[in-house]
């Protein structure tokens, strides 16, 4: 531990300070130019924050609120920093910045409702219309994710020549997270106009600052990213405002990012489920820090300037009391969330899965058994059609066999490349991000030529960080861009899993449908190319398990073009799996004009009466070969959309043939085959003439090159599975 470098008791005080510990202006201090009424308003906002949070604490104690985190003693930091922003700027915040929200006119009732547990749309409907001059992200719970998103938001501003600034708040503990590093790194490399405010309250739940870093200060971390930094007395609202204003101005004028560390102290528990007495002996420290209380200090300063006297203080207290009481009443008037709303705002359009689960849930709510559908057709699922926003893209396929459709022979990589070019020309909001995608056009050359054609602002070679690529793209997508990302190999998507689950999959639902993330994550997947470890993974199970994301996988060049165009145009996040094993496996005629294909329809590759093979991607051709070789009439279904599934097509086929084989490349346990098998068992068991069989990878790590071919699912394994179910007798 690095106690000797950094101590909670007395963090280095070589920081910017305008007021002394009691609130008197320091000699020679330059007071920022704020009107008198603005100064009094600062005081009022801090008083209001404290009063509001006390009330929420009481509501929590009486069971009305679930969890409350307060900024007791830290109010000057979020307030002073956010007050430095201007209209249209963006704030990416967490759970300890209520003063920033109040400063920018977020209704108190909305803040209270953040603790009582209603979902965002219910809250929005329950409150009178309100507007803030600045834009607030959702309040992030997973820590540090917002830093990368804010960096992306700022990158977009810079690339679009907008003079908007993004400000992000993060706690001291959270600066240990990878997303902080990625956000800082990208912000530095791309000169992003973002101000990162480290609200250093010296504790991260039970762990003190010195457990987070061996650096002398948190501000110093910025040096590694080439980002200017400054430490400031976080309990001195004028100093915070002053430092933040400089940082904001630098960002706005093209000077790039700044990290501002605001040194303060968490006077209370981490939140209402914490008991700080268990881990810190804070009595003495609290007294010391209480003497530097930001409200008292500022009150003294305003008193010295004759802007505040006891009468005015009392008046403000009374006004704030009334305001908080009103807000509590308003919050209480907002109804509980309609439980059916848990299904809202995951994907555009209504999938079979969503409609069916809604119906199950509806039955459960009405006291009816939800599990009585044994066919997949027993429930009235049509009632949910058009329930939420549509998947608003024009689906206009072109048939390459038609005489008047001009085609060229392309393989899958060529199809990706042409589609990216086509969509970039079509939509200025689209940007491509990834590693090695610039001058060399990606390790598979899928982006070849695009940098020359569209320039470095639209084809962006990034630092080597999947989490950074995904996290900044989220911020870009929040700000009107339509990013298309390349993750070099699907096996290297693991570092991005945090951003994927916390932001990509969640943003639309988390904001009650307010913020869409139109982003497409291209991932070459699968084995068969004799590569090193982790270059052969098929990780779709993880992505499919995330609600709020589409997972698509083409198997031909024709499909690749139509599906990729649809994915890019759609407003849902899409994981676009590219079967790299057959990237250059074969050519076929692909229409050169624009066309789109449906995102939610499986493709019947081959019709048959005896057995259904469910498969996708690089396995489709193996399934077709197997179908040729067996003595049975095989129907091969290419799933195309792995999430959500085209359940109607799957069930219709299995009910027709009475047999089902799943062929996939990924490991078996909890591979998509498990879900498909469950689906068939749940809704078609009485049509089955044999158990479902899964020809898949084994439950081992992808083996080394020399035995890779033995491991991989191929036509032979698929053939065995088909023969097994064909010869099965009950
Ligand atoms: C990624 C992630 N890991 C763990 C948590 C649980 N958690 C919530 S707050 C917190 C401590 C954060 O401390 P700090 O960044 O110093 O901010 P503070 O709460 O002190 O303002 C932790 C561990 C979380 N929300 N997100």
């Amino acid at each position: 531990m690095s106690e000797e470098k950094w101590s909670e008791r007395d963090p280095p005080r070589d920081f910017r300070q305008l007021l002394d510990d009691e609130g008197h202006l320091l000699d020679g201090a330059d007071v920022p130019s704020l009107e008198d009424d603005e100064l009094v308003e600062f005081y009022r906002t801090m008083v209001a924050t404290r009063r509001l949070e006390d009330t929420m604490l009481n509501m929590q104690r009486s069971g009305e609120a679930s969890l409350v985190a307060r900024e007791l003693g830290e109010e000057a930091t979020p307030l002073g920093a956010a007050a430095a922003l201007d209209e249209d700027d963006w704030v990416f915040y967490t759970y300890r910045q209520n003063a920033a929200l109040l400063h920018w006119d977020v209704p108190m009732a909305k803040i209270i409702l953040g603790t009582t547990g209603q979902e965002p749309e219910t809250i929005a409907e329950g409150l009178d219309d309100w507007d803030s001059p600045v834009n607030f992200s959702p309040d992030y719970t997973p820590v540090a994710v917002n830093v990368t998103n804010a960096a992306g938001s700022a990158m977009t501003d810079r690339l679009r020549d907008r003079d908007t600034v993004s400000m992000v708040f993060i706690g001291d503990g959270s600066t240990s997270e990878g997303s902080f590093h990625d956000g800082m790194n990208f912000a530095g490399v791309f000169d992003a106009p973002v101000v990162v405010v480290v609200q250093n309250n010296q504790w991260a739940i039970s762990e003190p600052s010195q457990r987070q870093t061996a650096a002398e200060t948190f501000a110093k971390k910025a040096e590694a990213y080439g980002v200017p930094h400054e430490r400031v007395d976080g309990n001195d609202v004028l100093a915070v405002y002053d430092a933040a204003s400089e940082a904001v101005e630098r960002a706005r004028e093209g000077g790039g990012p700044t990290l501002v560390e605001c040194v303060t102290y968490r006077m209370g528990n981490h939140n209402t489920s914490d008991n700080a007495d268990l881990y810190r002996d804070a009595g003495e420290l609290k007294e010391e820090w209480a003497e530097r209380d930001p409200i008292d200090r500022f009150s003294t300063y305003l008193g010295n300037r004759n802007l505040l006297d006891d009468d005015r203080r009392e008046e403000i207290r009374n006004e704030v009391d009334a305001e908080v009481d009103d807000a509590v009443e308003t919050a209480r008037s907002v109804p509980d969330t309609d439980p059916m709303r848990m299904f809202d705002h995951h994907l555009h359009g209504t999938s079979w899965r969503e409609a069916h689960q809604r119906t199950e849930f509806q039955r459960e709510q009405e006291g009816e058994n939800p599990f009585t559908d044994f066919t997949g057709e027993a429930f009235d699922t049509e009632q949910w059609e058009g329930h939420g926003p549509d998947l608003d893209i024009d689906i206009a396929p072109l048939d390459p066999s038609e005489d008047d459709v001009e085609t060229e022979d392309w393989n899958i990589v060529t199809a990706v490349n042409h589609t990216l070019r086509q969509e970039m020309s079509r939509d200025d909001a689209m940007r491509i991000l990834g590693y090695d995608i610039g001058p060399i056009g990606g390790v598979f050359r899928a982006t070849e030529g695009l940098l020359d054609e569209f320039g470095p602002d639209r084809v962006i070679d990034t630092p080597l960080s999947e989490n950074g690529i995904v996290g900044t793209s989220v911020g870009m997508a929040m700000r009107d861009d339509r990013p298309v990302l390349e993750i070099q190999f699907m096996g290297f998507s693991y570092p991005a899993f945090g951003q994927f689950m916390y932001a990509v999959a969640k943003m639309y639902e988390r904001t009650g449908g307010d913020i869409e993330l139109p982003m497409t994550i291209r991932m070459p997947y699968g084995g068969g190319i004799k590569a090193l470890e982790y270059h052969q993974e098929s990780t779709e199970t993880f992505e499919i398990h995330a609600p709020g994301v589409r997972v698509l996988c083409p198997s031909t060049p024709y499909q690749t073009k139509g599906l990729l165009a649809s994915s890019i145009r759609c407003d849902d996040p899409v994981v676009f799996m590219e079967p790299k094993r057959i990237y250059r496996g074969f050519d076929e005629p692909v229409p050169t004009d624009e066309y789109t294909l449906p995102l939610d329809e499986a493709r019947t590759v081959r019709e048959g009466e005896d057995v259904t093979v469910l498969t996708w991607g690089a396995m489709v051709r193996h399934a077709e070969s197997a179908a040729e070789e067996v003595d049975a009439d095989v129907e091969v279904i290419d799933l195309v959309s792995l999430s959500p599934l085209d359940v109607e097509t799957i069930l219709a086929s299995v009910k027709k043939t009475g047999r089902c084989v799943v062929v996939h490349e990924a490991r078996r346990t909890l591979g998509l085959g498990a879900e498909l098998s469950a689906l068939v068992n749940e809704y078609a068991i009485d049509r089955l003439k044999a158990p479902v069989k899964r020809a898949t990878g084994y439950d081992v790590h992808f083996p080394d090159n020399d035995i890779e071919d033995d491991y991989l699912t191929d036509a032979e394994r698929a053939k065995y599975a088909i023969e097994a179910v064909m010869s099965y007798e009950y």
Side-chain angles (χ1 to χ4, degrees):
M1 294 242 296
S2 50
E3 278 92 349
E4 68 285 354
K5 286 194 194 151
W6 172 239
S7 111
E8 170 213 344
R9 176 172 295 272
D10 195 13
R13 297 195 63 171
D14 52 343
F15 44 39
R16 185 188 298 229
Q17 214 179 16
L18 298 182
L19 302 179
D20 70 13
D21 285 359
E22 280 153 26
H24 303 294
L25 200 61
L26 289 166
D27 284 348
D30 247 350
V31 179
S33 55
L34 285 158
E35 302 292 330
D36 291 352
D37 56 347
E38 288 178 296
L39 291 168
V40 176
E41 195 54 34
F42 275 12
Y43 171 78
R44 192 179 193 287
T45 302
M46 289 196 283
V47 170
T49 305
R50 197 165 287 183
R51 169 73 169 82
L52 173 66
E53 292 184 348
D54 282 347
T55 302
M56 294 195 299
L57 188 65
N58 289 334
M59 290 175 78
Q60 193 276 338
R61 286 181 177 142
S62 68
E64 267 188 282
S66 49
L67 191 77
V68 174
R70 292 182 302 159
E71 58 214 60
L72 179 66
E74 303 174 38
E75 296 90 345
T77 289
L79 172 64
L85 293 169
D86 239 328
E87 281 187 18
D88 297 331
D89 287 339
W90 272 73
V91 182
F92 292 76
Y93 68 111
T94 68
Y95 42 80
R96 223 183 282 288
Q97 284 86 36
N98 286 331
L101 274 67
L102 289 183
H103 176 81
W104 285 110
D105 304 339
V106 175
M108 280 185 178
K110 177 167 187 313
I111 297 173
I112 296 171
L113 285 157
T115 70
T116 54
Q118 283 98 325
E119 62 84 46
E121 218 181 356
T122 304
I123 294 176
E125 286 167 7
L127 297 179
D128 290 340
D129 280 347
W130 62 275
D131 203 10
S132 169
V134 302
N135 302 285
F136 285 96
S137 70
D139 53 330
Y140 285 77
T141 306
V143 299
V145 173
N146 57 344
V147 181
T148 328
N149 297 170
S153 152
M155 282 165 67
T156 287
D157 280 332
R158 214 201 109 223
L159 293 165
R160 287 178 177 242
D161 265 337
R162 297 190 292 218
D163 68 355
T164 329
V165 172
S166 298
M167 177 175 281
V168 55
F169 289 91
I170 180 168
D172 42 293
S174 308
T175 65
S176 304
E177 291 278 358
S179 275
F180 168 78
H181 162 75
D182 290 322
M184 290 295 295
N185 197 35
F186 275 60
V189 168
F190 293 106
D191 266 338
V194 58
V195 178
V196 180
V197 179
V198 177
Q199 189 166 330
N200 173 14
N201 63 15
Q202 305 185 54
W203 287 90
I205 310 188
S206 69
E207 297 204 11
S209 303
Q210 62 265 31
R211 265 288 150 144
Q212 303 301 337
T213 180
E216 208 177 316
T217 69
F218 288 95
K220 282 211 168 158
K221 289 188 171 196
E223 255 168 53
Y225 308 106
V227 170
H229 53 86
E230 154 133 45
R231 291 177 75 250
V232 56
D233 179 346
N235 282 15
D236 174 351
V237 71
L238 288 182
V240 175
Y241 176 80
D242 205 32
S245 297
E246 272 176 30
V248 166
E249 199 178 313
R250 178 185 303 129
R252 214 181 294 290
E253 286 174 359
T258 306
L259 183 148
V260 181
E261 177 193 344
C262 299
V263 182
T264 177
Y265 186 75
R266 199 192 78 208
M267 296 293 285
N269 292 326
H270 170 74
N271 60 25
T272 43
S273 65
D274 176 43
N275 176 5
D277 293 341
L278 295 177
Y279 53 83
R280 71 177 186 188
D281 177 16
E284 193 187 339
L285 284 175
K286 259 189 172 171
E287 271 167 36
E288 274 180 42
W289 280 93
E291 280 166 21
R292 291 185 234 163
D293 182 88
I295 300 183
D296 294 345
R297 277 167 85 185
F298 199 51
S299 173
T300 302
Y301 169 73
L302 294 179
N304 289 345
R305 284 193 53 181
N306 294 325
L307 294 174
L308 203 60
D309 57 19
D310 284 345
D311 287 347
R312 184 72 187 117
R313 284 189 189 94
E314 189 170 338
E315 221 173 84
I316 288 176
R317 243 191 330 270
N318 291 338
E319 285 165 13
V320 162
D321 281 354
E323 216 182 308
V324 173
D325 290 348
D326 260 11
V328 171
E329 283 320 301
T330 307
R332 284 183 178 142
S333 73
V334 174
D336 288 345
T337 304
D338 170 359
M340 185 58 76
R341 284 207 156 160
M342 74 172 88
F343 293 97
D344 289 359
H345 307 304
H346 284 78
L347 293 174
H348 293 74
T350 311
S351 63
W352 182 93
R353 173 178 70 191
E354 182 189 323
H356 204 268
Q357 290 188 10
R358 275 185 187 273
T359 314
E360 285 183 359
F361 180 67
Q362 182 185 51
R363 292 171 67 88
E364 196 177 304
Q365 294 280 294
E366 289 166 1
E368 284 180 73
N369 193 324
F371 299 114
T372 54
D373 179 7
F374 294 102
T375 62
E377 295 164 30
F379 292 163
D380 168 22
T381 51
E382 279 181 11
Q383 57 175 314
W384 306 112
E385 276 308 313
H387 187 75
D390 273 352
L391 183 58
D392 192 16
I393 32 176
D394 257 354
I395 298 301
L398 281 178
D399 182 348
S401 64
E402 300 270 330
D403 285 347
D404 58 348
V405 173
E406 200 177 306
T407 63
E408 281 177 18
D409 282 349
W410 291 345
N411 59 34
I412 290 180
V413 181
T414 336
V416 170
N417 185 268
H418 278 267
T419 313
L420 292 174
R421 180 172 287 107
Q422 165 194 297
E423 295 301 303
M424 287 284 274
S425 308
R426 190 179 167 271
D427 184 356
D428 288 346
M430 177 175 157
R431 271 179 234 287
I432 303 179
L433 289 92
Y435 195 75
D436 283 334
I437 59 155
I440 66 161
V443 289
F444 295 104
R445 308 292 180 261
T447 54
E448 199 161 48
L450 300 182
L451 174 64
D452 284 346
E453 197 168 334
F454 298 100
D457 285 355
R458 295 194 60 206
V459 179
I460 304 174
D461 256 342
T462 67
L464 176 45
S465 164
E466 293 74 16
N467 195 55
I469 295 169
V470 174
T472 49
S473 295
V474 167
M476 293 175 134
M478 289 170 82
R479 303 292 315 286
D480 315 322
D481 273 355
R482 197 166 278 271
V484 176
L485 298 54
E486 178 173 301
I487 297 294
Q488 209 161 55
F489 295 87
M490 199 172 198
F492 298 119
S493 63
Y494 299 126
F497 208 61
Q499 287 290 342
F500 180 75
M501 290 304 291
Y502 298 142
V504 175
K506 191 84 163 79
M507 188 67 72
Y508 186 45
E509 183 265 349
R510 177 82 178 74
T511 57
D514 249 13
I515 299 184
E516 294 169 330
L517 291 185
M519 56 193 283
T520 300
I521 311 179
R522 296 181 37 243
M523 298 201 205
Y525 83 94
I529 60 161
K530 304 274 182 223
L532 293 173
E533 60 176 355
Y534 292 106
H535 291 70
Q536 322 91 330
E537 310 279 293
S538 304
T539 75
E540 67 270 12
T541 282
F542 301 114
E543 283 81 12
I544 292 167
H545 200 58
V549 180
R550 291 180 181 276
V551 182
L552 287 153
C553 184
S555 60
T556 68
Y558 170 76
Q559 258 189 315
T560 299
K561 179 172 171 185
L563 284 175
L564 184 55
S566 298
S567 301
I568 293 170
R569 293 178 198 189
C570 112
D571 289 331
D572 292 324
V574 176
V575 170
F576 196 81
M577 295 169 60
E578 294 173 5
K580 62 176 182 286
R581 181 186 196 176
I582 52 167
Y583 252 162
R584 297 176 192 279
F586 61 100
D587 288 2
E588 70 177 4
V590 180
T592 50
D593 281 347
E594 279 184 26
Y595 65 95
T596 47
L597 291 174
L599 290 178
D600 45 12
E601 284 181 19
R603 179 175 71 104
T604 304
V605 179
R606 184 184 198 282
E607 291 193 18
E609 298 296 325
D610 293 336
V611 53
T612 299
V613 175
L614 302 175
T615 189
W616 61 90
M619 287 293 121
V620 172
R621 289 168 74 77
H622 289 296
E624 283 183 276
S625 304
E628 292 296 327
E629 287 171 30
V630 293
D631 183 19
D633 191 13
V634 183
E635 180 145 305
V636 176
I637 307 273
D638 174 0
L639 296 182
V640 179
S641 173
L642 309 192
S643 183
L645 290 167
D646 177 358
V647 176
E648 282 103 332
T649 302
I650 294 166
L651 290 183
S653 173
V654 175
K655 285 177 187 176
K656 177 180 74 174
T657 62
R659 297 182 185 87
C660 178
V661 164
V662 184
V663 178
H664 67 60
E665 200 170 325
R667 289 184 279 275
R668 185 171 310 158
T669 298
L670 287 183
L672 182 55
E675 178 61 28
L676 291 165
S677 173
L679 196 64
V680 167
N681 278 312
E682 280 190 89
Y683 301 109
I685 196 159
D686 55 358
R687 306 288 191 91
L688 286 184
K689 299 172 191 148
V692 177
K693 278 291 168 197
R694 292 175 284 162
T696 67
Y698 293 103
D699 286 332
V700 297
H701 282 293
F702 199 98
D704 292 323
N705 286 343
D706 60 342
I707 54 168
E708 172 176 25
D709 290 340
D710 300 294
Y711 164 85
L712 275 169
T713 311
D714 57 8
E716 193 186 13
R717 194 174 294 159
K719 194 177 106 190
Y720 280 133
I722 296 169
E723 285 171 350
V725 297
M726 285 306 300
S727 59
Y728 181 85
E729 282 177 31
Y730 274 110

